[in-house]
Amino acid sequence: MDGKSSLLLNIFMLAGSDFTATAADALLTSHDLGSFIDCLAIAHGTCQRFVENLALALIVPVAGMVLAIAGDVTPVVASGLLIGGTLLVVINSRRSLAGMPFRAP
């Protein structure tokens, strides 16, 4: 490519053939594009949360291991940091669900 990014997105709005619906990247159940904009906002937030969680999952345990190897903390405290980092990832993931209704599986 020539350094330019391109995006091709097929959107289907319940007014075409079944083949078009299966080939589409996004399927809108109403004729309102506002729901698609909401979908893009949710996807953007999800990508941000993924990067944050990846950073938390890598930085906190590595910091605990480095501190334990240096002798600044005991291995028990380092394992506590590992568990704490995991809890931070879970809590950060729940932020994406704030304001959304709970749906049982």
Side-chain angles (χ1 to χ4, degrees), residues 5-90:
S5 64
S6 62
L7 174 68
L8 178 62
L9 180 67
N10 298 315
I11 303 171
F12 175 72
M13 294 182 74
L14 288 185
S17 68
D18 290 336
F19 175 74
T20 307
T22 53
D25 296 318
L27 177 66
L28 299 180
T29 57
S30 68
H31 292 287
D32 179 25
L33 283 178
S35 60
F36 180 68
I37 294 171
D38 292 341
C39 179
L40 288 178
I42 291 169
H44 183 263
T46 301
C47 287
Q48 282 183 328
R49 207 72 64 236
F50 173 77
V51 171
E52 292 169 1
N53 286 341
L54 185 62
L56 283 172
L58 292 174
I59 292 172
V60 175
V62 169
M65 285 187 275
V66 168
L67 290 173
I69 291 170
D72 293 337
V73 297
T74 64
V76 174
V77 173
S79 65
L81 283 173
L82 176 66
I83 294 169
T86 303
L87 289 174
L88 281 175
V89 168
V90 171

